[in-house]
Amino acid sequence: SPLAALETAPIDPIISVSEAFFADTNPNKVNLGIGIYCDDSGKVPVLDCIKAAEQKFVAAGKPKYYLPMDGLGAFNRAAQHLLFGAEHQAVRDKRVVTAQTLGGSGGLKVGADFLRVLNPRVEVWISDPSWENHTALFEGAGFKVNSYPYYDASTRSIKLDAMLTTLRGLPPGTIVVLHACCHNPTGLDPTPRQWQQIRDVVKKAELVPFLDIAYQGFAENLHADAAEVGRFADVCPLVVVASSFSKSLSLYSERVGALSIVTGSADEAARALSHVKRVVRANYSGPPSYGGGLATNVLTDPALRQQWEGELAQMRDRVKSMRRQLVEKIRARRADFDLNYVIEQRGMFSYSGLTKAQVGRLRDEYSIYALDSGRVCVAALNSRNIDYVAQAIANVLVT
Ligand code: PMP
């Protein structure tokens, strides 16, 4: 058989943690591995704004003709305004193109394929560490992927000097992937001052910033969390942005995201879009209409939009409250450990500082699943499992 020598592909480490979780029969099991927001009852919520958007979508009864390759125009406008603001100069100049993609992953992949058409000789640099799939996505587009220093585990801070030194030494045109907010996996974002230093270096070294924003709304609010997108667009002639609604609209399975490209002129933007469409056509021809239609309804209907911002604030506040409670509950049991840094981290994840051996004990002795790196999804904690998790962590912490 032509497949006789085919070896099984390595399993994605995040998915394999979830598979082990589902196979576990312990009724107390907790999955802190995958990056999904669950409400206090432990379920992935269907937001009320989405329920209303679904009714509106069905009532409109539109035929299911193919969408354009770049998706719904109304979605693209709304997604672009959400990132940059409708008044951003690049938006007003029509220098930004936005295309609806299959989630944030689709935005990354179409953006990577586009950049490869633009310049196949450049390399890609991602943070150390970064979201596991960044490497596979950019390698899949044909790029060599390297990593710049980012997280210092000993001080739980950003290795800013080393990061800037590395970026300064890269050839012009090099693609630098940056997490616009809620860095995955560390939860540690640059301060405004550090962002400014990063922007200055990216601009001066003529690098191409590729901003990945998958958690807009989970740090402070929709507007503040996207601030870096607009600021990079202010200073760099080419900025690529992959954004996702998977978490912010709790629409994981509908695959709703966008690719935005900031160019130097309306004419460049039109040419860039022609290549984006070509990439999409050669990959999957066009996005589906349902998820994009729901997102459009939420983003463009003022009442639904307001409802969404309220529901998003609830999700954000709940995660923050879980962070605080986890730290306090562990402190109550183990006064010798200060986990305060967990409170400061942003988004759904915490780089907990747990070692691989401790993560192994949590899994084997308590059926609590985290990633070997010590990344835990704080958004999976709730009032029923938090005491159990805090106790288990207190038990495995060693001085
Ligand atoms: N980028 C980062 C940093 C992510 O964490 C994720 C989702 N885990 C994505 C992109 C992809 O988002 P989506 O699920 O919308 O494809």
Side-chain angles (χ1 to χ4, degrees):
S1 158
L3 301 186
L6 183 70
E7 288 182 14
T8 306
I11 308 176
D12 180 292
I14 300 177
I15 304 299
S16 68
V17 168
S18 284
E19 281 176 2
F21 168 80
F22 286 120
D24 194 325
T25 52
N26 183 342
N28 294 326
K29 66 183 179 176
V30 183
N31 187 2
L32 304 178
I34 196 160
I36 289 182
Y37 175 89
C38 296
D39 60 19
D40 197 54
S41 67
K43 295 209 180 74
V44 177
V46 181
L47 302 185
D48 287 337
C49 63
I50 288 295
K51 288 181 193 151
E54 288 186 307
Q55 283 180 3
K56 210 172 155 178
F57 185 93
V58 172
K62 290 209 180 119
K64 309 272 185 196
Y65 188 67
Y66 292 115
L67 290 188
M69 289 161 236
D70 55 335
L72 289 160
F75 170 85
N76 292 336
R77 257 188 313 283
Q80 188 179 100
H81 291 177
L82 189 71
L83 288 171
F84 298 87
E87 298 306 317
H88 192 284
Q89 197 57 46
V91 173
R92 292 170 71 131
D93 294 346
K94 301 197 175 359
R95 286 189 283 119
V96 190
V97 286
T98 299
Q100 179 189 343
T101 57
L102 309 184
S105 306
L108 286 162
K109 170 66 171 148
V110 176
D113 282 354
F114 167 78
L115 288 170
R116 186 89 183 142
V117 172
L118 190 68
N119 188 352
R121 289 174 305 281
V122 293
E123 297 187 356
V124 171
W125 288 69
I126 62 174
S127 59
D128 175 23
S130 195
W131 179 44
E132 315 266 350
N133 212 19
H134 275 153
T135 306
L137 268 160
F138 284 97
E139 282 181 355
F143 287 109
K144 177 168 187 297
V145 179
N146 315 275
S147 56
Y148 55 82
Y150 187 79
Y151 186 70
D152 186 339
S154 61
T155 58
R156 298 201 167 87
S157 60
I158 296 175
K159 291 178 180 167
L160 189 73
D161 289 342
M163 174 180 175
L164 297 178
T165 304
T166 302
L167 297 186
R168 262 188 219 108
L170 299 177
T174 301
I175 298 158
V176 182
V177 179
L178 298 157
H179 300 229
C181 70
C182 306
H183 185 268
N184 177 6
T186 66
L188 185 66
D189 289 336
T191 62
R193 166 97 190 98
Q194 290 176 327
W195 269 123
Q196 176 160 7
Q197 289 170 279
I198 295 166
R199 266 196 321 275
D200 288 348
V201 170
V202 167
K203 178 182 155 68
K204 194 145 180 248
E206 296 176 31
L207 309 178
V208 176
F210 195 139
L211 300 177
D212 184 1
I213 176 159
Y215 302 91
Q216 188 177 358
F218 278 89
E220 288 179 54
N221 56 56
L222 285 169
H223 178 69
D225 293 358
E228 284 311 316
V229 174
R231 290 191 189 125
F232 272 92
D234 285 339
V235 295
C236 295
L238 171 61
V239 183
V240 183
V241 187
S243 54
S244 167
F245 289 97
S246 300
K247 325 266 146 124
S248 59
L249 283 172
S250 194
L251 268 187
Y252 305 86
S253 60
E254 297 300 347
R255 314 308 299 131
V256 190
L259 168 70
S260 296
I261 305 174
V262 183
T263 68
S265 66
D267 182 50
E268 277 184 21
R271 280 181 276 135
L273 180 61
S274 72
H275 285 280
V276 166
K277 286 183 175 175
R278 201 150 179 264
V279 166
V280 170
R281 180 76 176 142
N283 271 295
Y284 54 86
S285 204
S289 59
Y290 188 68
L294 301 187
T296 309
N297 288 347
V298 172
L299 291 169
T300 58
D301 178 318
L304 295 190
R305 169 73 181 243
Q306 200 186 358
Q307 192 174 20
W308 175 44
E309 293 197 17
E311 294 187 283
L312 186 55
Q314 273 176 18
M315 293 197 276
R316 174 172 68 238
D317 292 345
R318 202 190 80 74
V319 179
K320 288 186 177 174
S321 153
M322 286 299 120
R323 286 187 184 283
R324 271 193 308 278
Q325 288 186 44
L326 183 67
V327 170
E328 282 160 15
K329 285 173 189 292
I330 293 173
R331 190 186 297 127
R333 292 163 169 89
R334 290 294 299 268
D336 52 335
F337 275 92
D338 178 10
L339 299 181
N340 254 333
Y341 53 87
V342 171
I343 298 177
E344 304 301 319
Q345 295 164 337
R346 289 149 46 106
M348 291 196 189
F349 301 114
S350 170
Y351 233 33
S352 62
L354 291 165
T355 62
K356 190 174 172 191
Q358 290 165 339
V359 169
R361 281 192 62 195
L362 287 177
R363 182 185 60 235
D364 299 342
E365 296 173 28
Y366 302 95
S367 298
I368 295 172
Y369 291 80
L371 301 192
D372 281 348
S373 61
R375 187 192 89 168
V376 296
C377 179
V378 193
L381 294 171
N382 58 51
S383 50
R384 281 174 303 132
N385 65 23
I386 192 161
D387 284 302
Y388 179 68
V389 171
Q391 186 62 55
I393 293 178
N395 291 352
V396 302
L397 285 174
V398 279
T399 27

